[in-house]
Amino acid sequence: MDRKPNNQTTAIWVLLNIAHKRVTQTFEAELKRARLPSAAWYDILWALERAEEGMRQNELERQSLFDQPNLSRTLKRMVDEGLVTQCPAPNDRRGRELRITEEGKALRSQMWKVYGGLMLSEIEDKIPAEHLSGLIDGLASLVPEKDEKLEGKLKTARETAINPPKGSY
Amino acid sequence: MDRKPNNQTTAIWVLLNIAHKRVTQTFEAELKRARLPSAAWYDILWALERAEEGMRQNELERQSLFDQPNLSRTLKRMVDEGLVTQCPAPNDRRGRELRITEEGKALRSQMWKVYGGLMLSEIEDKIPAEHLSGLIDGLASLVPEKDEKLEGKLKTARETAINPPKGSY
DNA sequence: AATAGATACATGCACATGCATCTATTATTT
DNA sequence: AAATAATAGATGCATGTGCATGTATCTATT
């Protein structure tokens, strides 16, 4: 007879789904209420704002949670809105060099007022201090270190933690 | 000047997204590889299998992560596949009484072989013992206790943890 | 008992997502 | 150098999701 998941495993699986849905829905709802784009757009804008000298599209794909086709389309919409520019990449004629526009920076700054506030109200204020590191370590153990696709994202997580946007609060 | 989220808050927000996406994608990919329906279908089947004497659709809505229109459509597909029956509710002619069919039970049992295995390989085997309770408590603190919409789901989490499917492993 | 409001569920529509595939370009092999 | 494979990115299609709204029924108010 096979092994079966224990109670704690089940609780984690269920809570991971519930907590994620609850928190992301709150983020999306509040952003929409403020007539702002989704959190995914914020993440793209912020990644590009940190990359002063532009960023290749495939690099952004690695750092983001988008798959390639979805990122392609999302960027197209953002270009249409004047938030991002897509130039041919210098040394690779297949590639695209992405850059945030001034409008993009302005929008990100606007969004940060809501987005940053939600991080405080929905996360920081809700988690008791004694559970902070356990939650971080527990979540991190679910993500494979060697997975290239996610390594960049973890690095980004640390950078974002250490170096929050200037002039946005 | 406003408060700004600290490093740990940022790490949690990023990791919550990465971990959730990573784990759910693995679940969905493996289920698809085994030519089985999505994890959401499993959850519905399992909820209905536990409700021996049937379950009202709005009650299932409360216990699941579906919103109402989406649950309505998903159930329609499941009825079309012969996994679930939708009868008029006895005391409320607006309502529907849901019941799992024998085929539905058989499918859930099939799915459990994959689903349960994934809970072991993607969660139980990855989280070191010392982080288990921290992860559970941390995630739980993100979910509002008084939120009626989620209370049932937390209860379900505990029940599921305590009372795993019989004859499915 | 008549009306107003709430609830249960379904449907239409816009948009996001996953997946397969296509084109163009670059890298590798022989 | 030619052929093959690998990579960057775009696009088509099927499906899932959120949100607004519609219809039927039930509940509460007067």
Side-chain angles (χ1 to χ4, degrees):
Chain A
M1 179 173 278
D2 274 340
R3 215 159 42 110
K4 74 169 199 196
N6 65 33
N7 296 354
Q8 288 179 310
T9 302
T10 307
I12 288 168
W13 173 229
V14 174
L15 280 168
L16 180 64
N17 284 296
I18 293 176
H20 178 261
K21 184 141 212 167
R22 180 41 162 78
V23 175
T24 55
Q25 272 187 343
T26 303
F27 269 63
E28 297 302 335
E30 286 301 308
L31 285 168
K32 179 162 290 185
R33 223 169 58 87
R35 302 184 174 265
L36 292 168
S38 73
W41 281 40
Y42 180 87
D43 295 341
I44 291 178
L45 289 173
W46 176 224
L48 293 181
E49 186 160 345
R50 276 175 302 157
E52 293 283 336
E53 4 61 54
M55 180 184 258
R56 285 291 300 273
Q57 190 162 319
N58 59 352
E59 173 60 20
L60 177 57
E61 184 198 333
R62 241 169 264 123
Q63 285 188 23
S64 74
L65 288 173
F66 285 95
D67 61 351
Q68 183 269 315
N70 195 16
L71 177 60
S72 176
R73 269 186 274 256
T74 301
L75 284 171
K76 187 175 183 182
R77 290 179 210 122
M78 294 177 82
V79 170
D80 290 345
E81 305 258 338
L83 305 170
V84 170
T85 60
Q86 248 178 343
C87 302
N91 295 325
D92 187 341
R93 285 193 299 182
R94 296 168 299 182
R96 300 271 215 163
E97 186 85 12
L98 305 175
R99 230 172 283 268
I100 190 171
T101 66
E102 289 305 316
E103 291 175 51
K105 291 179 190 175
L107 176 62
R108 194 203 60 73
S109 170
Q110 277 300 113
M111 291 184 75
W112 174 249
K113 294 170 190 161
V114 176
Y115 191 101
L118 286 164
M119 288 176 64
L120 291 170
S121 65
E122 298 306 310
I123 300 174
E124 192 161 317
D125 292 348
K126 290 202 173 160
I127 303 176
E130 69 264 31
H131 294 144
L132 280 176
S133 65
L135 181 52
I136 291 174
D137 294 337
L139 287 173
S141 63
L142 291 173
V143 180
E145 295 285 343
K146 27 202 287 194
D147 189 330
E148 282 191 26
K149 189 100 189 173
L150 289 163
E151 202 162 5
K153 286 155 200 157
L154 272 171
K155 216 182 69 198
T156 305
R158 309 306 182 189
E159 284 169 11
T160 308
I162 289 161
N163 179 30
K166 348 164 219 196
S168 29
Y169 40 82
Chain B
M1 177 173 279
D2 273 340
R3 215 159 41 110
K4 75 170 199 196
N6 65 34
N7 295 355
Q8 289 180 308
T9 302
T10 306
I12 288 168
W13 173 228
V14 174
L15 280 168
L16 180 64
N17 285 296
I18 293 175
H20 178 261
K21 185 143 212 165
R22 184 32 164 81
V23 175
T24 54
Q25 272 187 345
T26 303
F27 269 64
E28 297 302 337
E30 287 300 307
L31 285 167
K32 180 163 290 185
R33 224 170 58 85
R35 304 181 174 265
L36 291 169
S38 74
W41 282 39
Y42 180 87
D43 295 340
I44 291 178
L45 290 173
W46 176 223
L48 293 183
E49 186 160 344
R50 275 175 302 158
E52 294 283 335
E53 6 59 54
M55 180 184 259
R56 283 292 299 273
Q57 188 163 319
N58 59 351
E59 173 60 18
L60 177 57
E61 184 199 333
R62 241 168 265 123
Q63 286 188 21
S64 76
L65 288 174
F66 286 95
D67 61 350
Q68 182 269 314
N70 197 14
L71 177 60
S72 174
R73 270 186 274 257
T74 301
L75 283 171
K76 187 175 182 181
R77 291 179 208 120
M78 296 178 81
V79 170
D80 290 346
E81 306 258 337
L83 304 170
V84 170
T85 59
Q86 247 178 345
C87 303
N91 295 326
D92 187 342
R93 283 191 303 182
R94 297 167 300 182
R96 300 272 215 163
E97 186 85 13
L98 305 175
R99 230 172 283 267
I100 190 171
T101 66
E102 289 306 315
E103 292 174 51
K105 290 180 189 175
L107 176 63
R108 193 203 61 73
S109 171
Q110 278 299 112
M111 291 184 75
W112 175 248
K113 294 171 191 163
V114 176
Y115 192 101
L118 285 164
M119 287 177 64
L120 290 171
S121 65
E122 298 307 310
I123 301 174
E124 192 160 316
D125 292 349
K126 291 202 173 160
I127 303 177
E130 68 264 31
H131 294 145
L132 280 174
S133 65
L135 182 51
I136 292 174
D137 292 338
L139 287 173
S141 63
L142 291 172
V143 180
E145 295 286 343
K146 27 200 286 193
D147 189 330
E148 282 192 26
K149 187 100 190 175
L150 290 164
E151 202 163 6
K153 288 156 202 157
L154 272 171
K155 216 182 71 199
T156 305
R158 308 307 184 187
E159 284 169 14
T160 309
I162 289 162
N163 179 31
K166 348 163 218 196
S168 30
Y169 38 82

